[in-house]
Amino acid sequence: MDAAADELLRLAFDRAPAMEANQAIARIRAEAGDELSGATSYELVLPTDNVRSFLLDHTLPRLVDYLESSGAKLPHCGGVFLSVFSGDTLHFLHARDVVELLSRWSGLSMAELKTRYGPR
């Protein structure tokens, strides 16, 4: 596995077989959400190689835009977790942890991420 994928997936707070994705995502939503609204899953399929480039070039801009426009503002990204498919395993990561990692990798601060990739 790619070193960047290893670093990302070490952030996982839970895992499940990918074949059980629907049930596992529903379980995480129920555990992470409050009584009025469940948590939101942002789903992502990791490529087998060039993971760092994929995450910085494709995922980071879309993720920041989604978080900022949905009200799950950086840096806390409240109520959002990532469901990351890698091989036959589904990994669950807090959005705030992923954004923090990608911020570090990109060299951009949270404010710079918001300005560059947030809604216009």
Side-chain angles (χ1 to χ4, degrees):
M1 184 181 291
D2 182 291
D6 281 343
E7 188 173 355
L8 174 74
L9 297 177
R10 270 186 291 217
L11 299 174
F13 63 86
D14 203 346
R15 291 171 185 75
M19 291 186 64
E20 298 172 11
N22 289 339
Q23 298 90 342
I25 291 170
R27 175 179 54 83
I28 297 297
R29 265 195 196 112
E31 291 172 3
D34 61 34
E35 294 86 30
L36 300 176
S37 63
T40 302
S41 172
Y42 187 93
E43 295 166 17
L44 176 67
V45 177
L46 282 187
T48 54
D49 56 348
N50 299 316
V51 171
R52 185 178 177 128
S53 175
F54 170 78
L55 291 170
L56 291 175
D57 298 340
H58 300 285
T59 304
L60 182 59
R62 291 180 178 104
L63 179 59
V64 170
D65 181 60
Y66 172 77
L67 292 167
E68 287 291 307
S69 62
S70 70
K73 305 289 186 186
L74 274 62
H76 302 293
C77 312
V80 177
F81 63 93
L82 274 69
S83 300
V84 180
F85 293 86
S86 180
D88 60 358
T89 304
L90 177 57
H91 305 263
F92 297 105
L93 297 82
H94 295 290
R96 68 179 176 267
D97 296 339
V98 174
V99 170
E100 184 179 308
L101 175 66
L102 298 181
S103 170
R104 189 167 28 92
W105 284 357
S106 70
L108 299 172
S109 69
M110 290 294 162
E112 290 168 321
L113 289 175
K114 290 179 186 185
T115 300
R116 185 175 290 191
Y117 302 127
R120 310 261 176 225

